Amino acid sequence: EADIYQTPRYLVIGTGKKITLECSQTMGHDKMYWYQQDPGMELHLIHYSYGVNSTEKGDLSSESTVSRIRTEHFPLTLESARPSHTSQYLCASSEYGLGLGGTGELFFGEGSRLTVL
Amino acid sequence: AQSVAQPEDQVNVAEGNPLTVKCTYSVSGNPYLFWYVQYPNRGLQFLLKYITGDNLVKGSYGFEAEFNKSQTSFHLKKPSALVSDSALYFCAVRASNYQLIWGAGTKLIIKP
């Protein structure tokens, strides 16, 4: 069982609201990721971090922002939610990355399903 | 272009029969390939990976996958399916930017 937690699991909010999706892991992993998952579609990387104070945008353009002030915590924020943000957001972490010979597997949280009305 | 294809949206198998979930990929260089499984209302879980070595890799829950370089495929297999194997299966490959490219997933349904 992976020690990575996401809250809230489900969130229904109105347009224009600010939301923060929380993600915490207790494995001490340096690398953390946010993916967006829609039914029948590929997972798309929206943000990642390789350590404290390090964040990068992923392949999928996103209006969300992230921060990494502590190793165990990687929250994702939407300043003004819109219906197009309705999706499932998956947080993941890994001990080893996939560069320079790394073969790290990802550990996923259970996801946060966001619905914006 | 780098990509992963899972050509079947859904695979139906009777319990006890062998199962195969297909995956093909397109990347330059030697591929790093992965399979993950997602049970209902759960996060994705790592099943197995191919980095180098033997083309047949074994993973969790009795699953295995066969790497075929000439066909650029990495099909997931299990000799005898269980009802509890019913889930969503994702194939992924490492891209040139050292992140994963994911397939769209295949829903596996095992019927008693």
Side-chain angles (χ1 to χ4, degrees):
Chain A
E1 201 75 21
D3 295 319
I4 180 165
Y5 308 100
Q6 291 185 240
T7 58
R9 290 290 312 280
Y10 303 92
L11 180 62
V12 180
I13 60 168
T15 297
K17 299 292 186 182
K18 177 180 178 178
I19 63 130
T20 296
L21 304 180
E22 302 286 353
C23 178
S24 295
Q25 51 96 3
T26 59
M27 297 172 282
H29 289 169
D30 284 329
K31 297 164 182 59
M32 295 190 74
Y33 311 82
W34 277 103
Y35 285 92
Q36 190 168 334
Q37 181 187 23
D38 293 308
M41 301 290 289
E42 307 86 348
L43 275 70
H44 289 289
L45 181 67
I46 49 175
H47 297 282
Y48 62 98
S49 168
Y50 284 167
V52 171
N53 294 325
S54 158
T55 62
E56 300 287 344
K57 289 187 179 293
D59 301 324
L60 182 67
S61 175
S62 174
E63 294 164 344
S64 59
T65 59
V66 293
S67 62
R68 189 89 183 275
I69 299 173
R70 303 197 316 265
T71 296
E72 62 272 21
H73 195 213
F74 191 40
L76 181 145
T77 298
L78 277 166
E79 290 293 333
S80 179
R82 295 205 301 270
S84 60
H85 296 140
T86 295
S87 188
Q88 170 144 272
Y89 294 85
L90 302 177
C91 181
S93 72
S94 67
E95 183 175 8
Y96 305 107
L98 292 170
L100 297 175
T103 60
E105 66 189 71
L106 299 177
F107 295 86
F108 282 86
E110 293 184 325
S112 293
R113 186 169 295 280
L114 173 65
T115 301
V116 184
L117 303 176
Chain B
Q2 302 172 102
S3 64
V4 173
Q6 293 183 241
E8 301 152 319
D9 292 335
Q10 183 170 309
V11 171
N12 298 295
V13 179
E15 186 176 29
N17 283 0
L19 69 87
T20 299
V21 182
K22 295 179 180 177
C23 173
T24 58
Y25 66 90
S26 174
V27 292
S28 56
N30 295 319
Y32 287 19
L33 295 155
F34 301 81
W35 276 102
Y36 283 79
V37 59
Q38 186 176 32
Y39 298 102
N41 298 315
R42 302 291 300 275
L44 278 78
Q45 297 176 35
F46 170 80
L47 269 182
L48 50 78
K49 65 186 176 187
Y50 172 83
I51 304 300
T52 186
D54 194 347
N55 289 345
L56 186 65
V57 294
K58 295 186 183 298
S60 307
Y61 311 120
F63 283 92
E64 57 190 25
E66 186 170 12
F67 170 62
N68 188 315
K69 188 172 184 178
S70 63
Q71 298 185 4
T72 61
S73 67
F74 189 55
H75 301 333
L76 183 70
K77 300 181 180 184
K78 188 173 182 181
S80 178
L82 300 172
V83 172
S84 58
D85 293 330
S86 298
L88 192 55
Y89 290 80
F90 288 92
C91 181
V93 66
R94 186 187 72 166
S96 56
N97 65 355
Y98 303 114
Q99 300 299 337
L100 290 177
I101 300 173
W102 297 80
T106 298
K107 186 175 184 180
L108 177 64
I109 298 176
I110 310 300
K111 298 181 179 179

